[in-house]
Coordinates of all heavy atoms in Angstrom, one line a residue:
M101 N 114.7 80.8 115.1 CA 114.6 82.0 114.4 C 115.6 83.0 114.9 O 115.9 83.0 116.1 CB 113.2 82.7 114.5 CG 112.2 82.1 113.6 SD 110.7 83.0 113.5 CE 109.7 81.9 114.7
S102 N 116.0 84.0 114.0 CA 117.0 84.9 114.4 C 116.4 86.2 114.2 O 115.9 86.7 113.1 CB 118.2 84.8 113.3 OG 119.1 85.9 113.7
Q103 N 116.3 87.0 115.3 CA 115.7 88.3 115.4 C 116.5 89.3 114.5 O 117.7 89.3 114.6 CB 115.6 88.9 116.9 CG 114.6 89.9 117.0 CD 113.2 89.5 116.9 OE1 112.8 88.3 117.1 NE2 112.3 90.5 116.5
V104 N 115.8 90.2 113.8 CA 116.3 91.3 113.1 C 115.6 92.5 113.5 O 114.6 92.4 114.1 CB 116.4 91.1 111.6 CG1 117.0 89.8 111.1 CG2 114.9 91.1 111.1
P105 N 116.2 93.7 113.2 CA 115.5 95.0 113.7 C 114.1 95.0 113.2 O 113.9 94.7 112.0 CB 116.4 96.1 113.2 CG 117.8 95.5 113.0 CD 117.5 94.0 112.7
H106 N 113.3 95.7 114.0 CA 111.8 95.9 113.5 C 111.7 96.9 112.4 O 112.7 97.6 112.0 CB 111.0 96.3 114.8 CG 111.3 97.7 115.3 ND1 112.4 97.9 116.1 CD2 110.9 98.9 115.0 CE1 112.5 99.2 116.4 NE2 111.5 99.8 115.6
F107 N 110.6 96.9 111.8 CA 110.3 97.8 110.7 C 109.1 98.6 111.1 O 108.1 98.2 111.7 CB 109.9 96.9 109.5 CG 109.7 97.6 108.2 CD1 110.7 97.9 107.3 CD2 108.5 98.1 107.9 CE1 110.4 98.8 106.2 CE2 108.1 98.7 106.8 CZ 109.2 99.1 105.8
V108 N 109.1 99.9 110.7 CA 108.1 100.8 111.1 C 107.2 101.1 109.8 O 107.8 101.7 108.8 CB 108.5 102.1 111.7 CG1 107.2 103.0 111.9 CG2 109.1 101.7 113.1
A109 N 106.1 100.6 109.6 CA 105.3 100.9 108.3 C 104.6 102.2 108.5 O 104.1 102.6 109.5 CB 104.2 99.8 108.3
T110 N 104.6 103.0 107.5 CA 104.0 104.3 107.4 C 103.0 104.2 106.3 O 102.6 103.3 105.7 CB 105.0 105.4 107.1 OG1 105.5 105.3 105.8 CG2 106.1 105.4 108.2
D111 N 102.4 105.5 106.0 CA 101.5 105.5 104.9 C 102.0 105.5 103.5 O 101.2 105.4 102.5 CB 100.5 106.8 105.1 CG 101.3 108.1 104.9 OD1 102.5 107.9 105.0 OD2 100.6 109.1 104.8
T112 N 103.2 105.4 103.4 CA 103.9 105.3 102.1 C 104.5 103.9 101.9 O 105.2 103.3 102.8 CB 105.1 106.2 102.0 OG1 104.7 107.6 102.2 CG2 105.9 106.2 100.6
P113 N 104.1 103.2 100.8 CA 104.6 101.8 100.6 C 106.2 101.8 100.7 O 106.7 102.6 100.1 CB 104.1 101.4 99.2 CG 103.0 102.3 99.0 CD 103.3 103.6 99.7
A114 N 106.6 100.9 101.4 CA 108.1 100.7 101.5 C 108.4 99.2 101.4 O 107.7 98.3 101.7 CB 108.6 101.1 102.9
D115 N 109.7 98.9 100.9 CA 110.2 97.5 100.7 C 110.7 97.0 101.9 O 111.8 97.3 102.4 CB 111.2 97.6 99.5 CG 111.9 96.2 99.2 OD1 111.4 95.2 100.0 OD2 112.8 96.2 98.5
I116 N 110.1 96.2 102.6 CA 110.4 95.6 103.9 C 111.7 94.6 103.7 O 112.4 94.4 104.7 CB 109.3 94.8 104.6 CG1 109.6 94.6 106.1 CG2 108.9 93.6 103.9 CD1 108.5 94.0 106.9
T117 N 111.9 94.2 102.5 CA 113.1 93.3 102.3 C 114.3 94.0 102.1 O 115.4 93.4 102.0 CB 112.8 92.4 101.0 OG1 112.7 93.3 99.9 CG2 111.5 91.6 101.1
D118 N 114.4 95.3 101.9 CA 115.5 96.1 101.6 C 116.6 96.0 102.7 O 116.2 96.2 103.9 CB 115.2 97.6 101.4 CG 116.3 98.4 101.0 OD1 117.2 98.0 100.2 OD2 116.4 99.6 101.4
G119 N 117.8 95.4 102.4 CA 118.9 95.4 103.3 C 118.9 94.0 104.0 O 119.8 93.7 104.8
L120 N 117.9 93.2 103.8 CA 118.0 91.9 104.6 C 118.7 90.8 103.6 O 118.7 90.8 102.4 CB 116.5 91.4 104.7 CG 115.6 92.2 105.7 CD1 114.2 91.5 105.8 CD2 116.3 92.3 107.0
A121 N 119.3 89.9 104.3 CA 120.0 88.8 103.6 C 119.0 87.8 103.1 O 117.9 87.7 103.6 CB 120.9 88.1 104.6
P122 N 119.4 87.2 102.0 CA 118.4 86.2 101.4 C 118.0 85.2 102.5 O 118.8 84.7 103.3 CB 119.3 85.5 100.3 CG 120.3 86.5 100.0 CD 120.6 87.2 101.2
G123 N 116.7 84.8 102.3 CA 116.1 83.7 103.3 C 114.7 84.0 103.4 O 114.0 84.6 102.7
C124 N 114.1 83.3 104.3 CA 112.7 83.2 104.7 C 112.5 84.0 106.0 O 113.2 83.7 107.0 CB 112.2 81.8 104.8 SG 110.5 81.8 105.1
Y125 N 111.6 84.9 106.0 CA 111.4 85.8 107.1 C 109.9 85.7 107.7 O 109.0 85.3 106.9 CB 111.7 87.1 106.9 CG 113.1 87.5 106.7 CD1 113.8 87.2 105.5 CD2 114.0 88.0 107.7 CE1 115.1 87.3 105.3 CE2 115.2 88.2 107.5 CZ 115.8 87.9 106.3 OH 117.2 88.1 106.0
V126 N 109.7 85.9 109.0 CA 108.3 86.0 109.5 C 108.3 87.3 110.1 O 109.2 87.9 110.8 CB 108.0 84.8 110.5 CG1 108.9 85.0 111.7 CG2 106.6 84.9 110.9
A127 N 107.1 88.0 109.9 CA 106.8 89.3 110.5 C 105.5 89.3 111.4 O 104.6 88.6 110.9 CB 106.7 90.3 109.4
Q128 N 105.5 90.0 112.5 CA 104.3 90.1 113.3 C 104.0 91.5 113.5 O 104.8 92.4 113.8 CB 104.5 89.5 114.6 CG 103.1 89.5 115.4 CD 103.3 88.9 116.8 OE1 104.3 89.1 117.4 NE2 102.3 88.2 117.3
V129 N 102.8 91.9 113.3 CA 102.3 93.4 113.4 C 102.1 93.5 114.9 O 101.3 92.9 115.5 CB 101.1 93.6 112.6 CG1 100.5 95.0 112.9 CG2 101.2 93.3 111.2
R130 N 102.8 94.6 115.4 CA 102.7 94.9 116.8 C 101.6 95.9 116.9 O 100.8 95.8 117.8 CB 104.0 95.4 117.3 CG 105.2 94.5 117.3 CD 104.9 93.1 117.8 NE 104.7 93.3 119.2 CZ 103.9 92.4 120.0 NH1 103.4 91.4 119.4 NH2 103.8 92.6 121.3
G131 N 101.7 97.0 116.0 CA 100.5 97.9 115.9 C 100.0 98.5 117.2 O 100.7 98.6 118.1
Y132 N 98.8 99.0 117.1 CA 98.2 99.7 118.3 C 96.8 99.1 118.4 O 96.1 98.8 117.3 CB 98.0 101.2 117.9 CG 99.5 101.9 117.7 CD1 99.9 102.1 116.5 CD2 100.2 102.2 118.9 CE1 101.2 102.7 116.3 CE2 101.4 102.8 118.8 CZ 101.9 103.0 117.4 OH 103.1 103.6 117.4
P133 N 96.2 98.9 119.5 CA 95.0 98.4 119.8 C 93.8 99.1 119.0 O 93.9 100.4 118.8 CB 94.7 98.6 121.3 CG 96.0 98.8 121.9 CD 97.0 99.4 120.8
G134 N 93.0 98.3 118.4 CA 91.9 98.7 117.7 C 92.1 99.2 116.2 O 91.1 99.6 115.6
L135 N 93.4 99.1 115.8 CA 93.6 99.4 114.5 C 93.7 98.2 113.7 O 94.2 97.1 114.1 CB 94.8 100.3 114.4 CG 94.7 101.7 115.0 CD1 96.0 102.4 114.8 CD2 93.5 102.4 114.4
A136 N 93.6 98.3 112.3 CA 93.6 97.1 111.4 C 94.9 96.6 111.2 O 95.1 95.3 111.0 CB 93.0 97.6 110.1
G137 N 96.0 97.3 111.4 CA 97.3 96.8 111.2 C 98.0 97.3 109.9 O 98.0 98.4 109.7
V138 N 98.4 96.4 109.1 CA 99.2 96.7 107.9 C 98.6 96.0 106.7 O 97.9 95.1 106.7 CB 100.8 96.4 108.0 CG1 101.4 97.1 109.1 CG2 101.0 95.0 108.1
I139 N 99.1 96.6 105.5 CA 98.7 95.8 104.3 C 100.0 95.5 103.6 O 101.0 96.3 103.7 CB 97.8 96.6 103.4 CG1 98.2 98.0 103.0 CG2 96.3 96.6 104.1 CD1 97.3 98.8 102.1
Y140 N 100.2 94.4 102.9 CA 101.4 94.1 102.3 C 101.2 93.3 101.0 O 100.2 92.7 100.8 CB 102.3 93.2 103.3 CG 101.7 91.9 103.6 CD1 102.2 90.7 103.0 CD2 100.7 91.7 104.5 CE1 101.6 89.5 103.1 CE2 100.2 90.5 104.8 CZ 100.6 89.3 104.1 OH 100.1 88.1 104.3
A141 N 102.2 93.3 100.1 CA 102.1 92.6 98.9 C 103.5 92.3 98.3 O 104.4 93.2 98.6 CB 101.3 93.4 97.8
S142 N 103.8 91.2 97.7 CA 105.1 90.9 97.0 C 104.8 91.1 95.5 O 104.1 90.4 94.9 CB 105.5 89.4 97.3 OG 105.8 89.3 98.8
A143 N 105.6 92.1 95.0 CA 105.4 92.5 93.6 C 106.6 93.3 93.2 O 107.3 93.9 94.1 CB 104.2 93.3 93.4
P144 N 106.9 93.3 91.9 CA 108.1 94.2 91.5 C 108.0 95.7 91.9 O 109.0 96.3 92.3 CB 108.0 94.1 90.0 CG 107.3 92.8 89.7 CD 106.3 92.6 90.8
M145 N 106.8 96.2 92.0 CA 106.5 97.6 92.3 C 105.3 97.6 93.3 O 104.5 96.7 93.2 CB 106.2 98.5 91.1 CG 107.2 98.5 90.0 SD 108.7 99.4 90.5 CE 108.1 101.0 90.9
P146 N 105.2 98.6 94.1 CA 104.1 98.7 95.1 C 102.7 98.7 94.3 O 102.6 99.4 93.2 CB 104.3 99.9 95.8 CG 105.5 100.6 95.4 CD 106.0 99.8 94.3
P147 N 101.7 97.9 94.7 CA 100.5 97.8 94.0 C 99.9 99.3 94.0 O 99.9 100.0 95.0 CB 99.6 96.9 94.8 CG 100.7 96.0 95.3 CD 101.7 96.8 95.7
A148 N 99.2 99.6 92.9 CA 98.5 101.0 92.8 C 97.2 101.0 93.6 O 96.8 102.1 94.1 CB 98.2 101.2 91.3
S149 N 96.6 99.9 93.7 CA 95.3 99.9 94.6 C 95.5 99.1 95.9 O 96.1 98.0 96.0 CB 94.3 99.1 93.7 OG 93.1 98.9 94.5
N150 N 94.9 99.7 96.9 CA 94.9 99.0 98.2 C 94.3 97.6 98.1 O 94.5 96.7 99.0 CB 94.2 99.8 99.3 CG 95.0 101.0 99.7 OD1 96.2 101.0 99.5 ND2 94.4 102.0 100.2
D151 N 93.4 97.4 97.2 CA 92.7 96.1 97.0 C 93.7 95.0 96.6 O 93.3 93.8 96.7 CB 91.5 96.2 96.0 CG 90.4 97.1 96.6 OD1 90.3 97.3 97.7 OD2 89.6 97.7 95.7
D152 N 94.8 95.3 96.1 CA 95.8 94.4 95.7 C 96.8 94.0 96.8 O 97.8 93.3 96.5 CB 96.5 94.9 94.4 CG 95.6 95.0 93.2 OD1 94.6 94.2 93.2 OD2 95.8 95.9 92.5
Y153 N 96.5 94.5 97.9 CA 97.4 94.1 99.2 C 96.7 93.1 99.9 O 95.4 93.1 99.9 CB 97.6 95.3 100.0 CG 98.7 96.4 99.4 CD1 98.3 97.4 98.6 CD2 100.0 96.4 99.9 CE1 99.2 98.3 98.2 CE2 100.9 97.3 99.5 CZ 100.5 98.2 98.7 OH 101.4 99.2 98.2
F154 N 97.4 92.3 100.7 CA 96.8 91.5 101.8 C 96.7 92.3 103.1 O 97.6 93.2 103.3 CB 97.7 90.2 102.0 CG 97.7 89.4 100.8 CD1 98.8 89.4 100.0 CD2 96.8 88.4 100.6 CE1 98.9 88.6 98.8 CE2 96.8 87.7 99.4 CZ 97.9 87.7 98.6
A155 N 95.8 92.0 104.0 CA 95.8 92.7 105.2 C 96.3 91.9 106.4 O 96.1 90.7 106.4 CB 94.2 93.0 105.5
C156 N 96.9 92.5 107.3 CA 97.5 91.7 108.6 C 97.1 92.6 109.7 O 97.6 93.8 109.9 CB 98.9 91.6 108.3 SG 99.7 90.5 109.4
A157 N 96.3 92.1 110.6 CA 95.8 92.8 111.8 C 96.9 92.7 112.9 O 97.8 91.9 112.9 CB 94.5 92.2 112.3
R158 N 96.7 93.5 114.0 CA 97.6 93.6 115.1 C 97.7 92.1 115.7 O 96.6 91.5 115.9 CB 97.1 94.5 116.1 CG 98.0 94.6 117.3 CD 97.4 95.7 118.3 NE 98.2 95.8 119.5 CZ 98.0 95.3 120.5 NH1 97.0 94.4 120.7 NH2 98.9 95.5 121.5
G159 N 99.0 91.6 115.9 CA 99.2 90.3 116.4 C 99.2 89.3 115.3 O 99.7 88.2 115.6
D160 N 98.8 89.5 114.2 CA 98.9 88.5 113.1 C 100.3 88.4 112.5 O 101.1 89.4 112.7 CB 97.9 88.8 111.9 CG 96.5 88.7 112.3 OD1 96.2 88.0 113.2 OD2 95.7 89.2 111.5
T161 N 100.6 87.3 111.9 CA 102.0 87.2 111.3 C 101.8 87.0 109.8 O 100.7 86.5 109.3 CB 102.8 86.0 111.8 OG1 102.0 84.7 111.7 CG2 103.0 86.1 113.4
F162 N 102.9 87.2 109.1 CA 103.0 86.9 107.6 C 104.4 86.4 107.4 O 105.4 86.9 108.0 CB 102.5 88.0 106.7 CG 103.2 89.2 106.7 CD1 104.3 89.4 105.9 CD2 102.9 90.2 107.5 CE1 105.0 90.7 105.7 CE2 103.6 91.5 107.6 CZ 104.6 91.7 106.7
V163 N 104.6 85.7 106.4 CA 105.9 85.1 105.9 C 106.3 85.8 104.6 O 105.4 85.9 103.7 CB 105.9 83.6 105.8 CG1 107.2 83.1 105.3 CG2 105.6 83.0 107.1
F164 N 107.6 86.1 104.4 CA 108.0 86.7 103.2 C 109.4 86.2 102.9 O 110.2 85.8 103.8 CB 107.9 88.2 103.1 CG 108.7 88.9 104.1 CD1 110.1 89.4 103.7 CD2 108.4 89.2 105.4 CE1 110.8 90.1 104.7 CE2 109.1 89.8 106.4 CZ 110.4 90.3 105.9
A165 N 109.8 86.2 101.6 CA 111.1 85.7 101.1 C 111.9 86.9 100.6 O 111.5 87.8 100.2 CB 110.9 84.6 100.1
V166 N 113.2 86.7 100.8 CA 114.2 87.6 100.3 C 115.3 86.8 99.4 O 115.8 85.8 99.9 CB 114.9 88.3 101.5 CG1 116.0 89.3 100.9 CG2 113.9 89.1 102.3
G167 N 115.7 87.3 98.3 CA 116.6 86.7 97.5 C 116.5 87.0 96.0 O 115.6 87.7 95.5
A168 N 117.5 86.5 95.3 CA 117.6 86.7 93.8 C 116.3 86.1 93.2 O 115.8 85.0 93.5 CB 118.8 86.0 93.2
G169 N 115.7 86.8 92.3 CA 114.5 86.3 91.6 C 113.2 86.4 92.4 O 112.2 85.9 92.0
V170 N 113.3 87.0 93.6 CA 112.1 87.1 94.5 C 111.7 88.5 94.5 O 112.5 89.4 94.8 CB 112.3 86.6 95.9 CG1 111.1 86.7 96.7 CG2 112.8 85.2 95.9
A171 N 110.3 88.8 94.2 CA 109.8 90.2 94.2 C 109.9 90.8 95.7 O 109.8 90.1 96.7 CB 108.4 90.3 93.8
P172 N 110.3 92.0 95.8 CA 110.3 92.7 97.1 C 108.9 92.6 97.7 O 107.8 92.4 97.0 CB 110.5 94.2 96.8 CG 110.9 94.3 95.3 CD 110.5 93.0 94.7
T173 N 108.8 92.7 99.1 CA 107.6 92.8 99.8 C 107.3 94.2 100.2 O 108.1 94.7 101.0 CB 107.5 91.8 101.0 OG1 107.7 90.4 100.5 CG2 106.3 91.8 101.8
W174 N 106.2 94.8 99.8 CA 105.9 96.1 100.0 C 104.9 96.2 101.2 O 104.1 95.3 101.2 CB 105.2 96.8 98.8 CG 106.1 96.7 97.6 CD1 106.2 95.9 96.7 CD2 107.1 97.7 97.3 NE1 107.1 96.1 95.8 CE2 107.8 97.3 96.1 CE3 107.7 98.8 98.0 CZ2 108.8 98.0 95.6 CZ3 108.7 99.5 97.4 CH2 109.3 99.0 96.2
I175 N 105.0 97.1 102.0 CA 104.2 97.1 103.3 C 103.9 98.6 103.5 O 104.7 99.5 103.3 CB 104.9 96.6 104.5 CG1 104.0 96.4 105.7 CG2 106.2 97.2 104.9 CD1 104.5 95.5 106.8
R176 N 102.7 98.8 104.1 CA 102.3 100.2 104.6 C 101.2 99.9 105.6 O 100.7 98.8 105.7 CB 101.8 101.1 103.4 CG 100.6 100.6 102.6 CD 100.2 101.5 101.7 NE 99.5 102.6 102.4 CZ 98.5 103.3 102.0 NH1 97.8 102.9 100.8 NH2 98.0 104.3 102.6
F177 N 101.0 101.0 106.4 CA 99.9 100.7 107.4 C 98.6 100.7 106.7 O 98.5 101.4 105.7 CB 100.0 101.4 108.7 CG 100.0 102.9 108.6 CD1 98.7 103.6 108.1 CD2 101.0 103.8 109.0 CE1 98.7 104.9 108.1 CE2 100.8 105.1 109.0 CZ 99.6 105.7 108.5
D178 N 97.6 100.1 107.3 CA 96.3 100.0 106.7 C 95.7 101.5 106.6 O 95.9 102.3 107.5 CB 95.4 99.2 107.6 CG 94.1 98.8 107.0 OD1 93.2 99.8 106.8 OD2 93.9 97.7 106.6
P179 N 95.0 101.8 105.6 CA 94.5 103.2 105.5 C 93.5 103.6 106.6 O 93.4 104.8 106.9 CB 93.6 103.0 104.1 CG 94.3 102.0 103.4 CD 94.7 101.0 104.4
E180 N 92.9 102.5 107.3 CA 92.1 102.9 108.5 C 93.0 103.6 109.6 O 92.5 104.5 110.2 CB 91.4 101.6 109.0 CG 90.4 101.1 108.1 CD 89.2 102.1 108.1 OE1 88.8 102.6 109.1 OE2 88.7 102.3 106.9
A181 N 94.2 103.2 109.6 CA 95.1 103.7 110.6 C 95.4 105.2 110.3 O 95.4 106.0 111.2 CB 96.4 103.0 110.7
A182 N 95.6 105.5 109.1 CA 95.8 106.8 108.6 C 94.6 107.8 109.1 O 94.8 108.9 109.5 CB 95.9 107.0 107.1
R183 N 93.4 107.3 108.9 CA 92.2 108.1 109.3 C 92.2 108.3 110.9 O 91.5 109.1 111.4 CB 90.9 107.4 108.8 CG 90.8 107.6 107.3 CD 89.5 107.1 107.0 NE 89.4 105.7 106.6 CZ 89.8 105.1 105.4 NH1 90.4 105.9 104.4 NH2 89.7 103.9 105.3
S184 N 92.9 107.5 111.6 CA 92.9 107.5 113.1 C 94.1 108.5 113.5 O 94.2 108.6 114.7 CB 93.0 106.2 113.7 OG 91.9 105.4 113.3
G185 N 94.9 109.0 112.7 CA 96.0 109.8 113.0 C 97.2 109.1 113.4 O 98.2 109.8 113.9
V186 N 97.3 107.9 113.2 CA 98.6 107.1 113.4 C 99.7 107.5 112.5 O 99.4 107.6 111.3 CB 98.3 105.6 113.4 CG1 99.5 104.7 113.6 CG2 97.3 105.3 114.5
L187 N 100.8 107.5 113.0 CA 102.0 107.9 112.1 C 102.8 106.7 111.7 O 103.5 106.7 110.6 CB 103.0 108.8 112.8 CG 102.4 110.2 113.2 CD1 103.3 111.0 114.0 CD2 101.9 110.9 112.0
G188 N 102.7 105.6 112.3 CA 103.5 104.4 112.0 C 103.0 103.2 112.8 O 102.4 103.3 113.8
V189 N 103.2 102.0 112.2 CA 102.9 100.7 112.9 C 104.1 99.8 112.9 O 104.7 99.6 111.9 CB 101.8 100.0 112.1 CG1 101.5 98.6 112.8 CG2 100.5 100.9 112.1
V190 N 104.5 99.4 114.1 CA 105.7 98.6 114.2 C 105.4 97.2 113.8 O 104.4 96.6 114.2 CB 106.2 98.6 115.8 CG1 107.3 97.7 115.9 CG2 106.5 100.1 116.1
V191 N 106.4 96.6 113.1 CA 106.3 95.2 112.7 C 107.6 94.5 113.1 O 108.7 94.9 112.7 CB 106.2 95.1 111.1 CG1 106.1 93.7 110.6 CG2 105.0 96.0 110.6
A192 N 107.4 93.5 113.9 CA 108.6 92.8 114.4 C 109.0 91.8 113.4 O 108.1 91.2 112.7 CB 108.2 92.0 115.7
V193 N 110.2 91.6 113.1 CA 110.7 90.8 112.0 C 111.8 89.8 112.6 O 112.7 90.2 113.3 CB 111.4 91.5 110.8 CG1 111.8 90.7 109.8 CG2 110.4 92.6 110.3
A194 N 111.8 88.5 112.1 CA 112.8 87.6 112.5 C 113.1 86.7 111.2 O 112.1 86.4 110.4 CB 112.2 86.6 113.5
R195 N 114.3 86.3 111.1 CA 114.6 85.4 110.0 C 114.2 84.0 110.4 O 114.7 83.4 111.4 CB 116.1 85.4 109.7 CG 116.5 84.5 108.6 CD 117.7 84.9 107.9 NE 118.0 83.9 106.9 CZ 119.2 83.8 106.2 NH1 120.1 84.7 106.5 NH2 119.3 83.0 105.3
A196 N 113.4 83.2 109.7 CA 112.8 82.0 110.0 C 113.7 80.8 109.7 O 113.6 79.8 110.4 CB 111.4 81.8 109.4
D197 N 114.5 80.9 108.7 CA 115.4 79.8 108.4 C 116.8 79.9 108.9 O 117.7 79.3 108.3 CB 115.3 79.6 106.9 CG 116.0 80.8 106.1 OD1 116.2 81.8 106.7 OD2 116.1 80.8 104.9
A198 N 117.0 80.7 109.9 CA 118.4 80.9 110.5 C 118.5 80.2 111.7 O 117.6 79.9 112.5 CB 118.7 82.4 110.6

């Protein structure tokens, strides 16, 4: 795997694939103890409902793809984190096929 700069998830959905070269990536939520982590979804636009995202807790990993014909992967921190006053959750990212 080839390490790439980490991503900071906030309460606004953001495209984690923006600026990455085509390929397969793995991400791990570093987060903060006791918080749920992040929610993420691969779709042309960020989902309107939190129920349409997948959840990823601190220490968990998820895989996403980047490239032509592949929808962006949207990420934001879990709404539970917002209620705790957290401003962002760090997500470590590495290219898995490099």
Side-chain angles (χ1 to χ4, degrees):
M101 275 193 264
S102 175
Q103 196 70 28
V104 298
H106 68 276
F107 183 88
V108 179
T110 67
D111 62 343
T112 302
D115 177 5
I116 195 172
T117 64
D118 187 37
L120 295 178
C124 182
Y125 292 80
V126 64
Q128 182 183 40
V129 180
R130 303 305 301 153
Y132 298 98
L135 297 178
V138 300
I139 55 177
Y140 67 98
S142 293
M145 299 293 297
S149 170
N150 289 337
D151 292 335
D152 294 328
Y153 285 85
F154 295 97
C156 194
R158 182 176 184 264
D160 288 346
T161 60
F162 64 93
V163 175
F164 63 96
V166 178
V170 179
T173 297
W174 302 94
I175 189 170
R176 62 178 289 220
F177 64 62
D178 191 290
E180 288 297 317
R183 287 189 272 281
S184 301
V186 172
L187 298 176
V189 176
V190 174
V191 179
V193 180
R195 183 157 175 191
D197 61 354

